[in-house]
Amino acid sequence: MAFESPTLAFATAIEAAAQSYTDDERESGLMNFIDGLAAAYAGYRRPEMKKLLESPIVDLSVTHPAWLIGSQLRCRPADAVLLNAMAGHLDDFDDDEAIVSIAHVTVPTMAAVLAAAASLDVSGSVILNGYLTGVETMVALGELLNPRHYALGWHASATLGVFGAAMAAAHVFGLTAEEKATALAFAVTASSGTRSAFGSSAKPWQVAAAARNGFNAVLLARAGLDANASLFGPMGLAELYGGEPGRIDATIARLGRSSPFIEPGVTIKAYPCCTAAHTAMEACELIRARIANLSWRDIASVTVDVGRTIPSILAHNTPQTALEGKFSMQFCAAIALCLPSAGLEAFTDEQLEDPAIRHVMERVEMRGLPKQEDPFLCKVTVMLTNGESIIEIVDRPKGSPERPFQRGDMQRKFVKLCDGARAEEIFEHLYRLPSAGSWDAFERQLTSLWGG
């Protein structure tokens, strides 16, 4: 199949970048990869995953090769991509590249490389190269489409995730540049996802479907099928999805320039909710720490000043479920002011109905400042019933490129998400992935540790 030159050029640039990663670049995303595994482990404990595992959508069997994270269960690789990605994004606790791709980059790419590796016996470095390739693909295409793509209402984690998953799996399978171009063309036909799904199970489902569709695009290319759907040309992705076809050269130039975990950097989340709420939550926690014995009854009003784009993202001003609460400034601010910890245990329907939380939610006003372009800068003003006013300003979230997680921070998050006597041992085992000669042997030991 003859391809328009930009698509093949893009695929060739992806291949060249993957072959030139240094050890430092390869390992730059290791902490994020581990974070994605922890998020998926926690996600599998949710009732939504139990329903999905019991549904006819997937085929579980010990005879299948692919691993479901943190369990003894096995399934077909294409099903494993779907399930692992769904679990990884269900709590919205997975990482987020919020500047260029505006997407959760680890979940679809991690799920794809694990599924591809299930059919092969590759090294840990191949796993990480594939993962890095997928993330780099998502960031590069974000260069082409955003910010207009996201502003139009597309869920970039899904619309770009299908390409990240495809190129991640394609690297592990060892596809040629021409085969990668075919996989990209198939992925164009499956690129989908809308921000209107935020606050429901459809949001992680979109990411999961994107991961599976990207993986299947690679299987189609390997099988010798052809496709001519366009990334860059007429009626192509750039033209239809809000991008600028004239930025093709900049998109290709981003590939191989630097690890996306170094530039622009990827935020590891400190809270299991939309990143747009994180600076406000930290500001609320700082205010709570400043006031001894703060009671919810003492709070007269909470004003949260944010960038102009944030209210359209945190759109659930009166959430009806905890999932909607993850995209509600009112709920996020209330739990940060009222609870000792804003972890997974805070984002429940029971907390949403708590009288103290409801009291504070009703007093939270979010104001998007028309002239503020910075999406992270946040000012929180809490007015107490005694007339006292307390202000905190936070400009970058914990875990962001400007305030990155250190290994100790990641270990604490991992152990909390992967509860169990051997969580610290599992964490240390995962840090040995770059030197693993056999993913199959590495994964068997990992499964044994998690099952123990």
Side-chain angles (χ1 to χ4, degrees):
M1 180 78 192
F3 281 91
E4 49 151 336
S5 57
T7 301
L8 183 55
F10 185 75
T12 301
I14 290 172
E15 185 173 11
Q19 293 173 353
S20 64
Y21 293 141
T22 65
D23 289 344
D24 287 344
E25 287 174 330
R26 185 180 302 113
E27 295 180 29
S28 63
L30 179 58
M31 187 183 296
N32 296 70
F33 190 85
I34 293 171
D35 181 63
L37 290 169
Y41 180 92
Y44 271 112
R45 274 65 196 160
R46 290 183 60 97
E48 295 93 335
M49 290 308 300
K50 184 175 186 295
K51 293 175 183 177
L52 188 53
L53 289 168
E54 292 174 349
S55 78
I57 295 173
V58 296
D59 178 17
L60 301 178
S61 171
V62 294
T63 62
H64 291 319
W67 173 60
L68 299 188
I69 294 167
S71 78
Q72 306 291 326
L73 296 175
R74 297 274 164 177
C75 64
R76 297 174 303 191
D79 287 343
V81 175
L82 181 81
L83 292 167
N84 285 334
M86 181 76 174
H89 194 48
L90 193 51
D91 284 312
D92 227 293
F93 215 176
D94 52 314
D95 66 5
D96 185 14
E97 192 285 290
I99 303 300
V100 182
S101 65
I102 319 180
H104 295 264
V105 293
T106 283
V107 161
T109 54
M110 175 193 71
V113 296
L114 293 179
S119 305
L120 308 165
D121 188 18
V122 297
S123 67
S125 63
V126 170
I127 293 285
L128 290 174
N129 273 8
Y131 166 58
L132 187 55
T133 297
V135 173
E136 193 166 11
T137 299
M138 292 180 68
V139 174
L141 291 176
E143 182 86 52
L144 177 71
L145 298 180
N146 285 317
R148 188 162 181 262
H149 178 69
Y150 191 84
L152 285 170
W154 292 106
H155 182 198
S157 302
T159 56
L160 302 182
V162 65
F163 300 101
M167 292 303 96
H171 178 82
V172 176
F173 279 125
L175 266 61
T176 65
E178 289 76 12
E179 290 170 328
K180 287 175 181 175
T182 301
L184 286 168
F186 275 115
V188 169
T189 69
S191 178
S192 180
T194 170
R195 283 169 51 197
S196 63
F198 286 13
S200 74
S201 298
K203 181 178 189 279
W205 175 259
Q206 291 178 155
V207 176
R212 180 176 60 179
N213 287 336
F215 182 80
N216 284 339
V218 172
L219 299 186
L220 291 169
R222 289 184 82 207
L225 279 73
D226 66 337
N228 59 357
S230 172
L231 267 176
F232 306 111
M235 294 185 290
L237 189 79
E239 184 177 286
L240 297 176
Y241 282 55
E244 298 181 26
R247 293 166 67 183
I248 294 171
D249 289 343
T251 301
I252 294 174
R254 177 172 280 278
L255 293 164
R257 187 171 74 191
S258 174
S259 164
F261 295 102
I262 299 171
E263 172 59 40
V266 182
T267 296
I268 293 179
K269 286 189 173 185
Y271 307 103
C273 60
C274 181
T275 310
H278 284 208
T279 48
M281 293 180 72
E282 184 177 356
C284 288
E285 289 181 337
L286 291 171
I287 289 172
R288 177 166 51 81
R290 286 172 56 183
I291 306 173
N293 303 314
L294 175 66
S295 167
W296 55 272
R297 294 182 178 87
D298 299 328
I299 297 174
S301 68
V302 181
T303 304
V304 185
D305 291 328
V306 294
R308 63 178 183 81
T309 62
I310 300 304
S312 70
I313 301 171
L314 302 178
H316 292 284
N317 296 326
T318 55
Q320 303 302 304
T321 67
L323 276 179
E324 289 185 354
K326 291 174 180 285
F327 297 87
S328 166
M329 183 63 84
Q330 288 73 16
F331 184 57
C332 290
I335 62 174
L337 283 167
C338 295
L339 301 180
S341 173
L344 288 177
E345 68 284 351
F347 288 87
T348 65
D349 290 338
E350 291 74 21
Q351 290 290 2
L352 183 62
E353 296 304 320
D354 184 271
I357 301 297
R358 303 298 299 187
H359 172 93
V360 177
M361 285 175 63
E362 291 167 2
R363 286 155 178 79
V364 175
E365 178 188 9
M366 174 175 53
R367 304 189 303 192
L369 305 181
K371 294 184 179 180
Q372 183 179 311
E373 297 293 334
D374 190 332
F376 301 113
L377 176 63
C378 177
K379 175 184 175 183
V380 176
T381 305
V382 173
M383 181 69 71
L384 302 181
T385 54
N386 65 6
E388 183 183 0
S389 177
I390 306 98
I391 297 174
E392 283 287 352
I393 297 174
V394 179
D395 67 353
R396 290 295 179 270
K398 290 181 285 188
S400 66
E402 296 82 5
R403 300 175 62 194
F405 267 33
Q406 303 302 316
R407 180 164 170 162
D409 302 315
M410 187 63 248
Q411 184 179 38
R412 284 186 288 275
K413 179 179 178 181
F414 186 92
V415 170
K416 192 166 185 178
L417 291 181
C418 304
D419 53 353
R422 308 187 78 172
E424 291 188 5
E425 189 177 352
I426 295 168
F427 181 79
E428 294 301 328
H429 178 68
L430 287 169
Y431 258 94
R432 293 191 286 272
L433 178 59
S435 61
S438 164
W439 165 253
D440 185 58
F442 186 89
E443 185 253 282
R444 283 200 306 272
Q445 185 177 355
L446 186 58
T447 304
S448 175
L449 288 170
W450 243 314

